[in-house]
Each structure stands twice: as C-alpha cells, then as structure tokens.
Amino acid sequence: MSLSRPGTSAALAMSAAEGDSVAHLGRVETFYRRELPGLVAFARVLSGSAAADDIAQEAMLTTYRHWDDVVRMDVPAAWVRRVCANRAVSVLRRRAVEARAMLRHGAPREAVEPIEEEHERFWAEVRRLPRRQAQVISLHYMYDLGVAEIVTTLGCTEGTVKVHLSRGRTALGARLGRAEEEGR
C-alpha cells in the first residue's frame, strides 16, 4: 500500500523503484536459470560429491547478494564460477578435517556417492590433481573455456593458466594411459 497520492512525484518515484525491483529480479532469475546447471556439474567434478547442488546454490546465493556489483562485471559468469570453485575447495577441506576428526574419535565414515557419469575415471583423476590444475582442467573441458576466459574466471595470469593446463593434461595423460595399459 502506497502512502503517496497517485500522480505525485513521490508516488511516481515509488512506482519506478518497484519496476526496477521487478526488472532486477528478472535479470537475476535469467542468470540463475542459465548458469545453475553448469555450476552443478562443475561443482560435482571438483568435489565429487552429492554436495554439488548445495555448492552451486551457495555460489548463486552469493551472486544474488552481490548482484549490483556482479552485473557490472565484464563476465559475470566467470565470477560465479570462481565462487563455485572456491566453495568446492572449501567442501573438500572441510571433508578432510571431518575425516581426520572421525578417525580420531573412531566414528565410521559415510560412503561418498560416486558420480554417475560415463567419464567417472577421468574426473576422479582430475580431482587427484593439485587444486588449481583441477580447476583449470575442469573449466576448460566442462565449459569449453579458452585460456583468456579461465584467466577471467580464476583471476590469475595467462601464463599461470597455460602452465596448469599443460601440467594437468600431462599428468592426466600419464595416469589414464597407464590405467589403459594395465586394463589390457
């Protein structure tokens, strides 16, 4: 209910603000619908867990809270992907701390659900890579991002991305190639 009389400048300003609010929510919703499926998959390959949905949702919630800043960025999707990558790393760290605590206290550890994708072995090897290499490889293969886009997403230099991409590919090639030979 408006306390301003219709037709007054205060009433027009309130009406415009309400319209801006609706437009704002529409842009956030469009961004959310476009980015969420990829974020869930990205979180799943980085964390290898059923927590991927939560990680992606938390990244989108952070995006919503910072929307006024995010919308002015050159590549808002890169920012939310970086938030998602950081949250996935936090989950892995928290999981490691919890595992150590359970071992100290003798509590049984819950089984982690495997990724139900045809490329499970590949993503399992990606998760074994150093953190930044895993992020670079995941962004490159999941989102088909080039070096410049990964630089924007992770906020590091082009040389750093190229080094991590090269080292990650080399490590994966060696590990997966060795696994193929052992399977024959």
Side-chain angles (χ1 to χ4, degrees):
M1 181 171 136
S2 174
L3 298 177
S4 301
R5 289 187 312 207
T8 65
S9 59
L12 293 174
M14 286 181 67
S15 177
E18 289 170 3
D20 288 347
S21 178
V22 170
H24 169 80
L25 289 175
R27 288 189 302 269
V28 172
E29 185 176 350
T30 300
F31 183 80
Y32 176 87
R33 289 182 189 276
R34 184 181 68 233
E35 292 299 322
L36 186 65
L39 286 177
V40 171
F42 184 47
R44 182 162 288 136
V45 299
L46 288 177
S47 66
S49 73
D53 289 322
D54 292 338
I55 292 168
Q57 289 288 352
E58 287 177 22
M60 290 305 293
L61 179 60
T62 301
T63 301
Y64 176 74
R65 288 179 178 152
H66 294 91
W67 184 252
D68 290 338
D69 296 325
V70 172
V71 76
R72 286 187 287 246
M73 294 178 182
D74 290 335
V75 186
W79 188 85
V80 73
R81 290 173 190 155
R82 183 185 314 175
V83 170
C84 186
N86 291 341
R87 298 245 186 231
V89 168
S90 295
V91 165
L92 292 174
R93 287 180 181 151
R94 184 172 49 242
R95 217 185 275 156
V97 168
E98 289 170 355
R100 287 192 303 270
M102 286 194 288
L103 288 173
R104 271 195 308 268
H105 299 291
R109 184 174 175 196
E110 292 183 31
V112 176
E113 291 182 34
I115 294 175
E116 295 182 23
E117 296 182 27
E118 61 188 44
H119 303 300
E120 169 56 25
R121 197 172 92 228
F122 172 79
W123 292 114
E125 290 299 329
V126 169
R127 286 189 299 275
R128 289 183 53 213
L129 293 172
R131 176 182 58 93
R132 193 56 99 177
Q133 284 180 21
Q135 291 173 349
V136 168
I137 292 288
S138 296
L139 286 167
H140 182 72
Y141 289 105
M142 282 199 53
Y143 286 104
D144 197 28
L145 297 183
V147 172
E149 294 165 308
I150 296 171
V151 165
T152 302
T153 300
L154 297 179
C156 54
T157 66
E158 182 177 329
T160 299
V161 170
K162 287 180 178 180
V163 166
H164 287 307
L165 192 56
S166 176
R167 288 180 183 169
R169 285 175 170 163
T170 300
L172 288 171
R175 290 177 187 173
L176 293 171
R178 190 171 47 238
E180 290 276 325
E181 292 174 12
E182 291 173 1
R184 290 183 186 165

